[in-house]
Amino acid sequence: MAVRVEREGAVQVLTMDRPERRNAFDGAMTQALDAALNEFEDDDSVRAAVLTGGPDFFSAGTDVRVWAGEPTERGGPYGIAKRRLCKPLIAAVEGAAVGGGFEIALASTMIVASRTAHFSLPEVGLGLVAECGGLFRAPRALPLNVAREMLLTGERLPAQRAYDLGLVNRLTEPGSAVAEALAIAERIAGHAPIAVRETLRAVEAAYPANDDSRWIDTAAAKEGARSSADAAEGVAAFLAKRPPRWTGN
């Protein structure tokens, strides 16, 4: 299974499980996460969930050898990026949340991270753009200039700084992110489910990250980048493990 589902009382733990590719997404993994999240949202006995990649890394985003498959009907890219969550989903991050992996964390309700975690949006280094919400969710979750720096340089944001900037809700010792995320999820699960749902709905309405205009702008940026010769060169260079030779075309 590309995504393992376990139950802890009224909380589900969803574990991305493609370790040989650092939890990078292919089509099967997109479908698996979509199915797991559909089950989570449709089961009224589940009140909250934790999303993790295991003890070593969160996710490397898209597997550019095969790409991440088609967006799903309910979840969009990766089965989550366009999803309008009706219940809290807490990302528990150990190690790297890179590119789409960071965008998956940004699409979650909260983020818990260990001190060894780090976040990055390195798409420009491949001649691409952050296609799955990073272009607008990063500036929503971070100070604008920090988001710009991440998007334009591809450099890492360490967990401690992410916590200091308010991106990360809780910072833990290595190996403890899931336990801390579970503790938060269980506390949420102990409250009235309708009140939790309506609170989440109202907050998302006040600070929208899923309205159509943002995705239209992202689609235009995606098309402009992906249709370039530089995008083909960037991906080829990445796969060949060599420096890219940009032409600006």
Side-chain angles (χ1 to χ4, degrees), residues 205-221:
Y207 299 93
N210 251 339
D211 65 90
D212 291 340
S213 65
R214 288 172 167 83
W215 286 108
I216 290 170
D217 291 341
T218 293

Side-chain angles (χ1 to χ4, degrees), residues 140-179:
R140 183 179 78 152
L142 289 161
L144 177 58
N145 276 2
V146 175
R148 282 173 173 155
E149 182 179 354
M150 292 188 73
L151 287 161
L152 297 175
T153 68
E155 292 179 358
R156 294 179 177 184
L157 183 70
Q160 180 65 60
R161 187 161 187 239
Y163 175 73
D164 292 341
L165 291 169
L167 171 71
V168 168
N169 295 80
R170 304 280 178 87
L171 194 63
T172 76
E173 295 305 313
S176 299
V178 169

Side-chain angles (χ1 to χ4, degrees), residues 34 37-39 41-42 72-76 79 82-84:
D34 183 70
L37 288 170
N38 290 347
E39 177 186 337
E41 293 196 296
D42 294 344
T72 66
E73 182 178 356
R74 284 177 63 173
K82 281 192 174 183
R83 186 175 292 270
R84 298 180 185 275

Side-chain angles (χ1 to χ4, degrees), residues 17-194:
D17 192 21
R18 198 176 178 230
E20 72 281 4
R21 297 298 297 166
R22 295 171 63 84
N23 294 335
F25 273 65
D26 60 3
M29 194 159 176
T30 291
Q31 291 297 322
L33 182 57
D34 183 70
L37 288 170
N38 290 347
E39 177 186 337
F40 158 59
E41 293 196 296
D42 294 344
D43 186 342
D44 289 340
S45 69
V46 181
R47 304 288 180 81
V50 172
L51 177 62
T52 179
D56 299 315
F57 33 76
F58 187 70
S59 173
T62 296
D63 186 340
V64 295
R65 301 178 311 163
V66 294
W67 302 95
E70 292 299 314
T72 66
E73 182 178 356
R74 284 177 63 173
Y78 305 127
I80 185 175
K82 281 192 174 183
R83 186 175 292 270
R84 298 180 185 275
L85 288 165
C86 59
K87 302 177 189 178
L89 176 68
I90 303 171
V93 181
E94 302 273 357
V98 176
F102 183 27
E103 291 175 298
I104 289 167
L106 286 169
S108 302
T109 312
M110 302 179 203
I111 301 174
V112 173
S114 82
R115 295 184 183 277
T116 57
H118 57 86
F119 307 88
S120 62
L121 294 165
E123 287 85 353
V124 289
L126 279 72
L128 303 170
V129 302
E131 300 175 357
C132 301
L135 293 179
F136 51 86
R137 284 196 175 108
R140 183 179 78 152
L142 289 161
L144 177 58
N145 276 2
V146 175
R148 282 173 173 155
E149 182 179 354
M150 292 188 73
L151 287 161
L152 297 175
T153 68
E155 292 179 358
R156 294 179 177 184
L157 183 70
Q160 180 65 60
R161 187 161 187 239
Y163 175 73
D164 292 341
L165 291 169
L167 171 71
V168 168
N169 295 80
R170 304 280 178 87
L171 194 63
T172 76
E173 295 305 313
S176 299
V178 169
E180 184 67 22
L182 266 172
I184 298 172
E186 287 167 354
R187 183 167 185 177
I188 292 169
H191 296 311
I194 293 176

